[in-house]
Amino acid sequence: MILVFFANLDKANTLDAHLRKARIFKTLEGFKLVGHVLETLAVDEYICGQRCLRNEKCLSYNSHSDDDHDNNKCELSDQNRPDKLIRSPGFTYHIKVGKGWYSSYPGHSCKDIYDSGDARGDGEYWIDPGKTGNPLKVFCDMTRAGGGWLLVLNIVIKDQYNLPQLLSETSYRKVDSYKSNNLVLQNSALNNLKTLMPFTQMRFHCRKPGGSTFHIVTTGNGTGEAVVQYFTGQTNTMPDSCGSYIKLWDDSSKLANLCADWGYENGNYHVGKWGHEGMRELYDHPAFTERAYHWLTFTRWECDDFKQSPYLPPNETFWKIFVR
């Protein structure tokens, strides 16, 4: 059973702004959670739910009511532990559900979930970019660079003697396959995703054990948005690199310090551009300096370096791209 409380039912209008949005409690009748009680009240189920919504520490509650309302009982809890319930006739256990926690209440995007205040750290969340009623379980980074990032490229080397084979996906819905450690969306899929779930920034993160970490995020201005437009196929104009991104705290790369030397265009290297003319996909030279510091996978395995084949990248080397 799903019980929905809307904050506009609070006639006193005393809830905080973030509680004016819908909140859902998933209910289990005939059960209660023992212990972990924040507060005990003699109120009915509805008032108990309001009290839990007002209390940020409250993650669930037990309620007990009878027809005469003489034995109303409300127990607010700071735990969400359906695995620790006991059978208790007359009680109902209510679990607070945030946006994106369950498929029945998906967010529009990772950023939507983050902005709603329902993020619970990095991990899996449910989103429905197209609002089709067919949500996806995806990975959201909720803690870095302001939070609200959806993982759209995830290549991780788990066995250097069994390297991933290219699986460049044409459907944005493949973002739910990130656990394969071989998730790559084509530009056309990113374009479709952007149409349904407008995003304006990209974050590039790669690391080799014993080597460098390349970690940058495009800026929120027009220069940064030009990068998004290029890699989603909205424009053929190769974007300027300098001024289009900022380095994150853990970046130790040479590449991020050499923006004027990036790119290849009109037969020339070191043009200060994102990308390599004729190579548009995000796994193939989106950022590089000639024969020195590259972002490149599948044909070679490079993160802020230049490694001619044959070359076996160390285990736990990764390349990740996020959007928000």
Side-chain angles (χ1 to χ4, degrees):
M1 176 182 179
I2 299 292
L3 182 64
V4 183
F5 285 97
F6 291 93
N8 61 7
L9 293 177
D10 181 359
K11 296 178 181 178
N13 197 26
T14 58
L15 295 179
D16 293 335
H18 71 281
L19 295 179
R20 295 191 177 97
K21 304 172 185 176
R23 285 292 186 269
I24 296 176
F25 287 97
K26 190 173 183 178
T27 65
L28 298 170
E29 296 182 359
F31 292 88
K32 73 174 182 178
L33 178 66
V34 177
H36 311 291
V37 176
L38 286 170
E39 187 178 3
T40 300
L41 304 162
V43 297
D44 64 22
E45 180 180 296
Y46 169 68
I47 299 299
C48 193
Q50 285 193 324
R51 294 295 182 90
C52 188
L53 287 176
R54 289 191 179 100
N55 190 332
E56 291 186 356
K57 293 182 180 180
C58 180
L59 299 181
S60 65
Y61 68 94
N62 301 318
S63 68
H64 181 280
S65 300
D66 59 23
D67 293 338
D68 296 327
H69 303 289
D70 293 331
N71 295 310
N72 288 340
K73 189 172 185 179
C74 166
E75 295 176 338
L76 306 186
S77 174
D78 61 357
Q79 299 290 314
N80 184 340
R81 299 294 301 273
D83 58 321
K84 297 295 184 180
L85 300 182
I86 64 169
R87 289 191 175 276
S88 187
F91 273 87
T92 302
Y93 181 59
H94 308 253
I95 308 167
K96 185 186 284 187
V97 179
K99 183 182 287 188
W101 297 7
Y102 295 92
S103 60
S104 58
Y105 189 27
H108 184 217
S109 64
C110 293
K111 189 173 188 303
D112 174 42
I113 296 168
Y114 181 85
D115 290 344
S116 75
D118 288 335
R120 300 184 294 178
D122 301 341
E124 291 185 333
Y125 293 84
W126 290 91
I127 66 170
D128 188 0
K131 300 181 180 179
T132 62
N134 187 18
L136 301 164
K137 184 185 284 187
V138 299
F139 184 88
C140 298
D141 185 329
M142 298 298 198
T143 60
R144 296 173 182 82
W149 295 95
L150 170 64
L151 182 62
V152 297
L153 182 146
N154 187 46
I155 301 170
V156 183
I157 305 301
K158 291 298 184 180
D159 180 358
Q160 64 181 164
Y161 298 105
N162 186 24
L163 296 174
Q165 299 299 308
L166 175 60
L167 293 173
S168 185
E169 305 291 356
T170 59
S171 170
Y172 79 87
R173 295 189 63 84
K174 288 297 184 178
V175 292
D176 66 356
S177 66
Y178 74 91
K179 287 183 178 179
S180 69
N181 294 321
N182 188 15
L183 165 64
V184 180
L185 295 188
Q186 290 186 11
N187 298 136
S188 58
L190 280 175
N191 192 353
N192 190 10
L193 179 64
K194 190 175 188 299
T195 300
L196 300 171
M197 185 197 79
F199 56 87
T200 58
Q201 289 183 285
M202 304 180 75
R203 180 158 63 89
F204 294 76
H205 190 191
C206 71
R207 183 178 65 84
K208 280 187 176 179
S212 298
T213 295
F214 177 67
H215 200 184
I216 64 170
V217 57
T218 59
T219 57
N221 56 24
T223 307
E225 289 190 29
V227 179
V228 176
Q229 292 169 2
Y230 180 72
F231 287 115
T232 55
Q234 294 178 287
T235 177
N236 292 321
T237 301
M238 295 176 66
D240 292 334
S241 48
C242 293
S244 68
Y245 64 86
I246 58 173
K247 295 171 54 177
L248 296 178
W249 69 270
D250 59 341
D251 179 271
S252 61
S253 70
K254 295 292 197 322
L255 181 58
N257 294 322
L258 297 170
C259 63
D261 292 330
W262 287 22
Y264 174 83
E265 185 180 34
N266 297 326
N268 297 306
Y269 290 98
H270 309 285
V271 292
K273 300 280 188 177
W274 283 81
H276 188 301
E277 195 171 51
M279 301 177 184
R280 188 66 170 268
E281 302 293 343
L282 286 165
Y283 58 83
D284 194 358
H285 291 86
F288 79 102
T289 64
E290 181 193 14
R291 300 179 68 84
Y293 310 110
H294 293 188
W295 172 295
L296 177 61
T297 62
F298 292 111
T299 56
R300 300 196 302 269
W301 302 93
E302 298 169 350
C303 172
D304 196 48
D305 55 12
F306 176 70
K307 300 288 188 181
Q308 291 182 298
S309 299
Y311 168 71
L312 298 178
N315 291 346
E316 304 306 323
T317 301
F318 67 76
W319 294 259
K320 299 177 185 286
I321 297 177
F322 300 82
V323 301
R324 72 165 184 193

